[in-house]
Amino acid sequence: MTLELIHDYELADDEHTLIAKLAGRLQEHARKNKSKWAYYEGKNALKDLNIALPAVAGSIKAVVGWPEIVVDSLAERLEWQGWISPEEDVTTLNRVFADNDLASEFAKATLESLVTGMGFLEVSTGGEGEPDIIIDAVTANEATYMWDDRLNRMAAGYIEKTGENGEKYQTLHLPDRVISIITDPHEAEKETVCVKHGWGRCGLVRIPNRSRAGKDAGASEITTAIEYYTDHGVRTVLGMEFNREYYTTPQRYLLNATFDQLGLDEDATESDLIQMGWKVAMSKALVVPPGDPDDGLPNITAGQFQASPPTPYIEELKMMAQLVSAQSGVPVSYLGFASDNPPSADSIRATESRLVRRTELRQLAFGRPLCRDLAYVCKAILDGRPPEWEFIASLEAKWLAAATPTLSATMDAMTKAVAAEITPKHSSVVWGRVGFSPTEQEIMRKELAEQSATQRATVLAGGAATIGDATVLDLARANREPEETPNPTEASTETDPQENTPASRGGAEADDLKQRADALGVLIRAGVEPKAAADLAGLPGIRFTGAIPVSLREKT
């Protein structure tokens, strides 16, 4: 597929309209996305009732990080490891995965999707000295799209970025072309470039979270309920802050005291009164002269207001944490309230079961655009033409297990699966479940191949002592049925009549069959496929039952 580059491209009317529409949609979502990120980053504004908290409460940056915990609990379990296919070769796709560090780029898009409801990956061809394909994560504040409900895929994608010097970069992705517009505030004209590619898919791939029928834009994990529980938690933490201040510096009072008895003038300022209040509150001993009985003044009485403990605030926070847990599926222990008794392994699995299931549903939802859209575009770029649908349909996204079992439990399960012959002992599926990375698995395959080659060489060396190389070669070249093998004694023109009896012929044929069987064993131990080994040993058509004699098994 040849890319057609067109400089000074003239936009058509429908392209002008489409860009304007998508730019407007981008602005519509900007405010909502900003609010979601404010909750995630703990920068949400205080929503005070102006009843229990003083005005100064607004200057205290109280933070309750529940939205971040809710999002990260899912994001940490969504680890994409590439593409797999039971039928097709995906080596080139996995090379693209490695070249672009897609595990990291996808993690960025995943976080964006969980926070705002939509993440994006942009695909483009590489230039000189670059990989063949370049894939980057794009924030939802810079990208939007138009969806085709009938084809169930993106009809157009739009990216708008601003440079350091005020430059405006606009990119319109269409299934057959990409249009780039650069607007420099210091230049009078715009630079418009069009690249016709014919991929059959937009170069912008969306990663939606919690999309549903009639709402393809997805939804954030920071729901309205999570926002309210967070706001409530912030107010509760602030109330506990002021309670702590009152508890640390208890409020004291004096009865029947005058300003002059405390060393203050009657026209003392408010600042002087506050300073004196601090002295009275913080002093360990309070000495005030008594009243003069001649003047009819009663004795001065000192007292202290009883301070309330923070227990009600803590209980209220615990209740809010339980509501957040019920809404999000995140165990309440993740939210800061742990039990005094450590939970058992079964209890941990039970509390995490809903979170694990939610993660598995995200893996299923995210896997579709990764295979149907991202892999489609990558394959079209690599092959120079749109890929066959059978190839795309066979793809599956490979994920790290959403659950977090212990290593010993996983090893025990895989050992039992191999012992029950459910999976081969050197299966990549088993290695992946145990936790070996693709690089480690490749190293292990090379080591197993070297080990197997050494064992086969040893077997061949041992077999050579029983059957000579000449015998094996003669039998392979003969390649005829055992009963057709002539008896060497029959080759002589002068044959003893007693030796040409059925019994002697049967014995010779049995010896010949044994030699062929021994040769078959040597070939199989040398690594030759059993059917091919039977043909070489002159035993074509032999049927294998699947049972392997001990003498023919490879040493492990």
Side-chain angles (χ1 to χ4, degrees), residues 66-143:
W66 290 336
E68 182 180 4
I69 295 173
V70 169
V71 170
D72 287 352
S73 296
L74 280 172
E76 291 165 358
R77 294 170 182 261
L78 290 168
E79 186 173 342
W80 181 38
Q81 296 183 319
W83 292 279
I84 56 175
S85 174
E87 303 171 0
E88 304 290 345
D89 184 10
V90 294
T91 304
T92 55
L93 286 179
N94 285 329
R95 187 177 70 247
V96 173
F97 183 91
D99 290 342
N100 289 273
D101 192 15
L102 271 185
S104 176
E105 290 299 314
F106 177 74
K108 299 175 187 177
T110 300
L111 181 61
E112 192 77 29
S113 179
L114 295 175
V115 173
T116 65
M118 186 66 65
F120 295 94
L121 291 171
E122 185 183 18
V123 186
S124 59
T125 56
E128 185 178 354
E130 297 177 339
D132 295 336
I133 299 175
I134 297 178
I135 304 175
D136 296 305
V138 183
T139 175
N141 294 326
E142 298 176 341

Side-chain angles (χ1 to χ4, degrees), residues 120 160 184 215 315 352 436:
F120 295 94
E160 183 178 309
D184 192 334
K215 188 178 180 181
E315 292 299 323
E352 292 183 347
F436 293 113

